[in-house]
Amino acid sequence: MDHASHGGMHSHGLADWGTAARATAHCLTGCALGEVAGMVIGTAAGLHNAATVALSIALAFVFGYALTMRGVLRAGLPLRRAAKLALAADTVSIAVMELIDNTVMVGVPGAMTAGLSDPLFWGALAFSLVLAFLVTLPVNRWMIGRGKGHAVVHAHH
């Protein structure tokens, strides 16, 4: 298998950092849309912290899967196959991101109770997403190098 035919993977089973960064950025886009929407909705509605976190996680998975499905549906895959690919490609990445960013949001004193106009809320949320990217990047690199994660949808992009 030559380098061009395996999407940035090296012979030792690791994807290059650029490939992993692109996959992680793609995943972060969906996660961030859901995470931010969930945090904003939960905060604006005055939901309990646990409900806000649960909403953020649910929306992150919905947006993350939807973003991947959008691309593979455009490539002509049927809905059922696109859904299976999205689950296989994104579940671990989204789960790691959600673990990190919600841990940060809950762990930063006052972030979950800060209002939408409070810089603490937005600063903690931005920091949580940056940290989620940095922690998830090597996870995605490892998975892609083993033909898992984003590698399962690579042929459909």
Side-chain angles (χ1 to χ4, degrees):
M1 185 189 249
D2 66 5
H3 185 72
S5 69
H6 63 281
M9 290 186 295
H10 297 287
S11 61
H12 51 77
L14 288 178
D16 65 61
W17 286 106
T19 299
R22 285 187 297 280
T24 305
H26 179 267
C27 184
L28 181 65
T29 301
C31 285
L33 288 170
E35 183 71 22
V36 171
M39 287 291 166
V40 168
I41 292 166
T43 300
L47 298 179
H48 184 275
N49 289 353
T52 299
V53 167
L55 178 62
S56 294
I57 292 169
L59 290 176
F61 275 94
V62 168
F63 278 92
Y65 290 146
L67 189 60
T68 295
M69 286 182 60
R70 184 177 133 243
V72 294
L73 286 170
R74 236 184 309 162
L77 268 68
L79 182 61
R80 186 175 175 100
R81 179 74 176 129
K84 285 180 180 181
L85 278 174
L87 288 170
D90 294 337
T91 299
V92 171
S93 186
I94 294 171
V96 171
M97 285 189 179
E98 288 306 294
L99 175 67
I100 300 303
D101 59 34
N102 283 291
T103 297
V104 169
M105 286 302 292
V106 170
V108 171
M112 291 293 294
T113 56
L116 295 178
S117 62
D118 191 327
L120 175 62
F121 174 83
W122 293 104
L125 188 54
F127 175 69
S128 76
L129 294 170
V130 169
L131 190 58
F133 177 88
L134 293 174
V135 171
T136 307
L137 178 61
V139 173
N140 282 339
R141 181 176 182 240
W142 182 84
M143 289 190 326
I144 293 166
R146 281 150 185 78
K148 300 187 182 315
H150 186 76
V152 300
V153 296
H154 183 73
H156 304 288
H157 283 250

